[in-house]
Amino acid sequence: MIPRMTTVGTLKNYRYDLNRSNNTWGKAMSAVTTRRLFNSYAEDPALATRCFQIRHSYWRAESQLNVNESLRHKYDVAWSALENISSDLYSQADDTSVSSIIRSASDSTGPGRVALGQSLTAKAKDIAQTMNGRYGENYVFAGADTLNAPFTWGPQVNPVYQEGGTMGKYLKPDGTETNVESEAAQGLYYRGVAVDSSNPPDVEKMEYFLNTERKDIDVGLGHKEVNGEVVSSTVFDSSLQGVYYLGGYGTQTVELEDGTKVENIPTNVISIVNELGQILQRCDPDTGNWQSGDKLRFDALSKAFEDSTSSFRERWTEMDTQSGFLRDNSELLEDTTDSLKQQYMELEDVDPAAAISDFMFARYCYDAALKVGNSILSQSLMDYINL
């Protein structure tokens, strides 16, 4: 039986075919403009799920790369700061370096020693200022507290002072004890704690800074937690404790070549340089004579300064190793992000040439359908007879 061809039926079929042609053209246009194989999860659930997993891995790797790059630049700033300090301390070619000044002090006259002492105390302040350098808005050597300057100057504490004891809490510029803060000489503080103090509360804080405090960063080492605690080997500790790189805190006993032992000598190189300067400034400005006991202490401080050279360089090398690791890790993360990006592009993105060809063909079909619309919509013979 041949179906009856009426205007209504022909129009219905034409509209259906025209809409289908229009939809095909629209999808082809969307593929060209978005360059994607799909634009909703419902279009291809399996492929969309796979793409989301890869994109999630890509976003995480990209975030780790950005964090690692920022951390690498921070370490570059820190390394440069230590390089400048190394020159200030040990440069043989620089007459103003601390080692050169110490060598010159023994042969200087009275006015010369006082002037050298002033140079040393100024050099100590310059080194502390360098260690207060920033990367962006954050202090580089402030440990986990990057918003406050780590090194400050305050009243010089008596290294043998203990709370509840009878000794004076501070030291005057002449080395004598006092409990009056305004009379005290200038001493070094790290994050509010006296660097040369042997007082148990101060020592406890310093030990926390150096041994416990961390600022863990996820840089792609497989971040993992066990019982709510971060596994240290799966993160990178980004806290740089400035006091560590300069020799630490507290005091030491130094033995001279003749066997004499001198107690309460600072271990921190800034404190050593600062006290060397104070001792030289106490020399008689006319004769250059030392104050009582100062020559022995000057020799002990000079030996402690020499011993600090190897320690400083070891910790500087340690930082260089960490900087190298961050550079290598950046390259690894860059390769990872490039690989993941290539994967999801291969899954999601269309072939531009094929997409444009499909779009042009779909548009041609749609235009052709519009052009034949008038002939399709003309009345059939049966409709004409029924009139």
Side-chain angles (χ1 to χ4, degrees):
M1 180 178 178
I2 301 175
R4 182 184 178 188
M5 301 301 293
T6 65
T7 301
V8 174
T10 302
L11 181 59
K12 181 178 180 181
N13 291 335
Y14 171 71
R15 286 177 175 173
Y16 173 79
D17 293 335
L18 184 63
N19 286 334
R20 185 172 61 178
S21 178
N22 184 51
N23 289 336
T24 302
W25 181 34
K27 290 181 179 179
M29 181 186 298
S30 177
V32 172
T33 55
T34 64
R35 298 183 181 181
R36 292 170 55 88
L37 290 173
F38 60 90
N39 290 301
S40 69
Y41 182 82
E43 292 181 23
D44 194 334
L47 182 59
T49 300
R50 176 61 179 155
C51 290
F52 173 77
Q53 292 172 342
I54 296 177
R55 274 187 174 272
H56 178 73
S57 298
Y58 169 77
W59 292 330
R60 182 174 182 178
E62 186 179 41
S63 175
Q64 292 167 344
L65 175 60
N66 293 334
V67 171
N68 191 91
E69 281 292 285
S70 177
L71 194 56
R72 182 176 66 84
H73 291 309
K74 172 186 174 180
Y75 268 73
D76 288 343
V77 171
W79 191 93
S80 297
L82 294 186
E83 182 181 33
N84 292 334
I85 291 173
S86 175
S87 178
D88 288 339
L89 293 176
Y90 311 117
S91 176
Q92 300 297 324
D94 186 358
D95 293 337
T96 64
S97 69
V98 174
S99 59
S100 298
I101 293 175
I102 292 175
R103 289 195 302 269
S104 303
S106 299
D107 301 328
S108 298
T109 61
R113 284 183 179 172
V114 174
L116 290 175
Q118 294 171 346
S119 297
L120 285 177
T121 53
K123 185 71 71 174
K125 289 179 170 56
D126 289 343
I127 295 172
Q129 186 63 37
T130 300
M131 293 298 288
N132 283 341
R134 296 187 184 188
Y135 173 62
E137 296 297 322
N138 298 320
Y139 289 96
V140 175
F141 289 103
D145 178 18
T146 58
L147 300 180
N148 298 295
F151 289 97
T152 55
W153 295 93
Q156 175 65 54
V157 299
N158 184 354
V160 297
Y161 169 79
Q162 299 289 329
E163 290 186 2
T166 58
M167 295 183 176
K169 186 175 182 179
Y170 306 111
L171 293 179
K172 296 180 180 179
D174 61 3
T176 58
E177 300 175 4
T178 181
N179 284 315
V180 181
E181 184 174 320
S182 60
E183 296 178 354
Q186 288 286 294
L188 185 66
Y189 283 70
Y190 178 72
R191 298 174 66 180
V193 182
V195 172
D196 303 332
S197 175
S198 298
N199 203 23
D202 294 335
V203 173
E204 183 179 355
K205 291 178 182 178
M206 284 293 188
E207 289 179 348
Y208 171 78
F209 293 152
L210 294 181
N211 302 323
T212 305
E213 185 179 73
R214 294 176 60 90
K215 190 174 182 180
D216 294 328
I217 303 294
D218 181 12
V219 293
L221 302 179
H223 181 272
K224 182 179 179 181
E225 294 185 8
V226 177
N227 297 326
E229 296 292 331
V230 177
V231 179
S232 60
S233 60
T234 64
V235 291
F236 188 90
D237 181 14
S238 65
S239 62
L240 294 176
Q241 303 290 352
V243 71
Y244 168 77
Y245 293 97
L246 296 177
Y249 61 93
T251 59
Q252 59 184 323
T253 299
V254 175
E255 184 175 354
L256 301 177
E257 293 181 357
D258 61 1
T260 303
K261 294 183 178 180
V262 183
E263 298 180 342
N264 302 318
I265 299 298
T267 59
N268 189 280
V269 69
I270 297 181
S271 295
I272 293 174
V273 174
N274 186 55
E275 187 172 350
L276 283 168
Q278 291 174 351
I279 289 176
L280 288 176
Q281 291 180 75
R282 291 201 293 264
C283 290
D284 188 284
D286 297 321
T287 64
N289 292 335
W290 303 89
Q291 294 290 331
S292 176
D294 276 358
K295 181 61 170 67
L296 182 65
R297 191 162 181 86
F298 182 88
D299 292 340
L301 287 165
S302 299
K303 187 175 187 302
F305 177 81
E306 293 175 359
D307 295 340
S308 69
T309 303
S310 59
S311 174
F312 178 85
R313 288 177 176 170
E314 285 175 2
R315 296 175 183 185
W316 186 20
T317 302
E318 178 184 326
M319 174 178 288
D320 187 63
T321 302
Q322 293 173 326
S323 297
F325 165 78
L326 291 173
R327 286 192 295 270
D328 294 340
N329 196 51
S330 286
E331 295 178 1
L332 177 61
L333 289 172
E334 286 177 357
D335 292 340
T336 301
T337 53
D338 290 343
S339 176
L340 290 171
K341 185 176 183 179
Q342 184 65 29
Q343 288 184 51
Y344 78 69
M345 287 178 63
E346 290 176 354
L347 291 175
E348 294 182 4
D349 294 357
V350 298
D351 180 5
I356 293 173
S357 297
D358 292 342
F359 168 72
M360 296 303 295
F361 181 74
R363 181 176 178 180
Y364 172 79
C365 293
Y366 180 72
D367 290 342
L370 290 177
K371 290 178 181 179
V372 301
N374 290 332
S375 61
I376 295 176
L377 293 174
S378 62
Q379 291 181 330
S380 67
L381 177 59
M382 296 300 296
D383 291 325
Y384 179 79
I385 293 174
N386 287 335
L387 295 175

